[in-house]
Amino acid sequence: MRQSIKIFLSSAILLAFACASDKTKEKSIEEIRATDLTGNAAIIRNPISAADHKDTINVAKMEFETTNFEFGVVEAGEIVTHTFKFTNTGKVPLIISDARSTCGCTVPEWPKDLIPPNGKGEISVRFNTTNMRQQQRKPVTITANTYPSKTKLYLSGIVKDKEAIN
């Protein structure tokens, strides 16, 4: 009886150490690309969990040429467009899960495919100035597998009536 308890406890300890060593193993880019990215848990690699420290190294990183576009003075009713260009400077493929603004007048379009490390991408934003006046600053919030997970882009400028511009 004692012998079987010793064997059971030894096996449990070995199994615990084997599982613990698998958790600390860093995946290669090839292993990440080979995983199925269809489930919600696999879409975004959350760099923070309740039990672990912050993982700010093994995440994608979006480096933008600029995060603010100044469009100057435009006439009310014009549509302002701008393309924000970025590079994934992180160690893993970048996955953008969402891009949204605070209102329907500002509409972003973003790449739906993985962007590999050192890969480039673009986020196009359209701002409809109909019924807008004065100083405007429209944010676009990007959600991705980065740390922090949200990045903000801005379109800024002044919208005036046609008569006020001339």
Side-chain angles (χ1 to χ4, degrees):
M1 175 85 165
R2 284 186 167 198
Q3 183 66 19
S4 59
I5 291 174
K6 287 181 183 179
I7 291 172
F8 174 75
L9 289 175
S10 298
S11 299
I13 291 170
L14 286 173
L15 181 61
F17 281 112
C19 291
S21 66
D22 285 346
K23 289 179 183 176
T24 59
K25 182 181 176 239
E26 189 174 311
K27 289 186 176 183
S28 70
I29 300 293
E30 290 74 26
E31 289 174 314
I32 293 169
R33 284 186 184 139
T35 58
D36 178 25
L37 295 173
T38 56
N40 285 343
I43 290 175
I44 301 283
R45 180 174 184 267
N46 188 354
I48 301 173
S49 69
D52 294 329
H53 298 290
K54 295 177 182 176
D55 177 4
T56 59
I57 296 173
N58 297 307
V59 294
K61 292 183 174 104
M62 297 175 77
E63 188 173 310
F64 284 90
E65 291 177 0
T66 180
T67 57
N68 188 39
F69 173 66
E70 295 284 338
F71 59 82
V73 179
V74 297
E75 181 181 328
E78 285 186 42
I79 295 179
V80 176
T81 60
H82 182 70
T83 301
F84 292 93
K85 296 180 180 186
F86 64 88
T87 303
N88 176 9
T89 59
K91 293 183 175 183
V92 299
L94 171 70
I95 304 166
I96 300 173
S97 63
D98 192 24
R100 65 179 61 210
S101 183
T102 55
C103 69
C105 63
T106 309
V107 180
E109 290 184 18
W110 67 95
K112 308 297 189 270
D113 295 330
L114 292 173
I115 298 171
N118 299 314
K120 298 188 181 297
E122 298 179 344
I123 296 175
S124 298
V125 182
R126 284 187 37 202
F127 170 46
N128 185 343
T129 64
T130 301
N131 298 323
M132 301 289 172
R133 301 293 182 274
Q134 305 303 325
Q135 181 69 39
Q136 299 291 318
R137 182 174 170 137
K138 297 298 181 181
V140 174
T141 304
I142 311 300
T143 305
N145 60 331
T146 56
Y147 180 80
S149 63
K150 295 189 186 302
T151 303
K152 287 204 176 191
L153 307 174
Y154 297 93
L155 281 98
S156 304
I158 299 172
V159 181
K160 293 197 173 190
D161 288 325
K162 185 176 184 177
E163 300 81 33
I165 293 177
N166 294 329

